[in-house]
Amino acid sequence: MKKKLWIAIWSTCSFSYAQVGVNTMDITSTLTVQGSVSANYREINKSNYNIQQDDYNVSYHSNVNDGVFNLPDIRKDGGAFGRIYNIKNASSTKLLTLKTLSNQSLRFGGDYPNNVNEFTIQPGQYLYLTATKELYWDVYHYTDTYGKKTTKIDDYLSDTSVVRLGNFSARIERKPNTVGQDKIHLQCMLHQLDDTYIVSHTIVASPNAITQRDYNDFKKAKANTWEYVYAEGRVSVVPNLDVNKTQMLVSHVTVLSSSETYRITCTVFSQTFIAGGRVILKLEKLP
């Protein structure tokens, strides 16, 4: 009896331009729902996860390793056209990178490049997207306002200090020096296909400096290549400084092709440099 009733209701709705109402007779759209809606939810703790067909809300919860979520093939199994994913990095310390297949990409619109195959989601931030028929994942909303990382100053600093926001990354490069003053280099990278120009204004301050030092630079940056933020982007790190006195670089970098401006703040705590000092790198996307 219930089956026949459902068929009758469905048939009636089909003759009414296929409009369906749930818990309501006031149908204003193709599907009108009067009440709460539930969608699938998964918490992921492993560092590499392939997003499934039946996923909807997917969150990363590990604080052990950075994570990678791989989007499915839009064309596989009849196509993922219209499929929606809501992805959250719920980790407190680790990054989450969302990746597409090499022949598919994320489409942000506006000044953001469309040929992006991956996007890094900072702790506590999220991304919402849906699949199109043109092998794009349309990004409807995302957060990438800031990223921060505290890193031990050692031989692997170039790899461990990288902070990425969308299409822009910053890092610290260490170059040991035989006279007891290691050099810390501030670098940035543009993750895009074409070269473009960047403008930077950097202030360097240290406890031994009477005044701050200002640097301005204008240069052509090569795509997907680490570039010095200013000149050589260098500041000396001297062992045995008072831990309450730090060295700091603050740089504003503008990418001319997109008009995006980023603020990079690098703070060096070097009292315990020989035993492994610390550097804090914060990257912010300015409005």
Side-chain angles (χ1 to χ4, degrees):
M1 182 63 184
K2 289 182 179 179
K3 184 177 181 180
K4 292 180 180 179
L5 180 60
W6 174 249
I7 293 174
I9 294 173
W10 183 261
S11 299
T12 302
C13 294
S14 297
F15 286 115
S16 302
Y17 306 102
Q19 290 179 304
V20 178
V22 179
N23 288 337
T24 181
M25 296 300 293
D26 185 15
I27 305 173
T28 58
S29 299
T30 306
L31 175 63
T32 301
V33 178
Q34 183 65 40
S36 60
V37 177
S38 176
N40 197 15
Y41 172 78
R42 280 196 176 96
E43 292 185 1
I44 305 300
N45 289 295
K46 60 182 180 180
S47 59
N48 195 295
Y49 177 69
N50 296 323
I51 295 178
Q52 303 298 304
Q53 283 185 317
D54 61 346
D55 281 335
Y56 182 80
N57 296 300
V58 191
S59 61
Y60 184 61
H61 282 258
S62 175
N63 286 310
V64 178
N65 298 301
D66 291 339
V68 176
F69 281 5
N70 303 292
L71 286 165
D73 189 344
I74 295 177
R75 299 169 300 182
K76 191 177 181 181
D77 300 326
F81 167 64
R83 189 177 301 163
I84 298 169
Y85 292 123
N86 192 20
I87 300 168
K88 172 74 178 283
N89 183 0
S91 171
S92 60
T93 59
K94 300 302 179 181
L95 303 176
L96 174 63
T97 300
L98 182 68
K99 292 186 176 182
T100 72
L101 295 180
S102 59
N103 65 331
Q104 298 171 17
S105 60
L106 301 169
R107 183 164 63 181
F108 289 81
D111 292 326
Y112 204 104
N114 285 331
N115 48 12
V116 177
N117 296 113
E118 63 179 55
F119 183 84
T120 299
I121 305 173
Q122 301 293 321
Q125 301 187 10
Y126 64 91
L127 183 144
Y128 174 79
L129 74 170
T130 188
T132 73
K133 289 182 178 179
E134 295 83 18
L135 302 184
Y136 286 110
W137 292 93
D138 259 356
V139 178
Y140 278 82
H141 193 58
Y142 66 98
T143 52
D144 69 341
T145 55
Y146 74 94
K148 185 173 70 172
K149 184 177 287 188
T150 301
T151 310
K152 179 181 177 181
I153 301 177
D154 57 21
D155 294 336
Y156 305 100
L157 185 62
S158 297
D159 297 325
T160 57
S161 65
V162 177
V163 179
R164 178 171 176 172
L165 288 183
N167 208 37
F168 187 89
S169 289
R171 77 173 184 182
I172 300 297
E173 180 189 43
R174 174 198 175 197
K175 289 190 175 180
N177 190 305
T178 56
V179 298
Q181 293 187 0
D182 283 20
K183 303 297 182 181
I184 296 295
H185 298 256
L186 182 59
Q187 298 178 318
C188 69
M189 179 188 287
L190 307 177
H191 302 273
Q192 56 190 49
L193 293 180
D194 301 322
D195 300 343
T196 188
Y197 287 91
I198 63 172
V199 179
S200 64
H201 176 219
T202 305
I203 297 174
V204 180
S206 65
N208 297 324
I210 299 176
T211 59
Q212 295 178 336
R213 291 167 288 164
D214 287 16
Y215 299 89
N216 294 286
D217 204 1
F218 179 88
K219 68 173 68 174
K220 188 170 186 179
K222 295 181 180 179
N224 296 303
T225 302
W226 287 108
E227 302 281 354
Y228 292 121
V229 169
Y230 69 91
E232 289 189 353
R234 184 179 67 215
V235 61
S236 298
V237 177
V238 185
N240 303 318
L241 284 178
D242 185 341
V243 74
N244 295 316
K245 296 180 180 179
T246 64
Q247 292 176 299
M248 177 178 289
L249 297 85
V250 179
S251 183
H252 288 77
V253 179
T254 299
V255 182
L256 296 191
S257 62
S258 64
S259 300
E260 293 176 331
T261 299
Y262 297 86
R263 178 167 55 215
I264 309 169
T265 305
C266 173
T267 308
V268 182
F269 296 89
S270 54
Q271 182 191 38
T272 57
F273 176 76
I274 297 176
R278 295 290 186 272
V279 58
I280 300 175
L281 188 65
K282 184 175 183 181
L283 177 60
E284 303 166 89
K285 185 177 181 181
L286 302 180

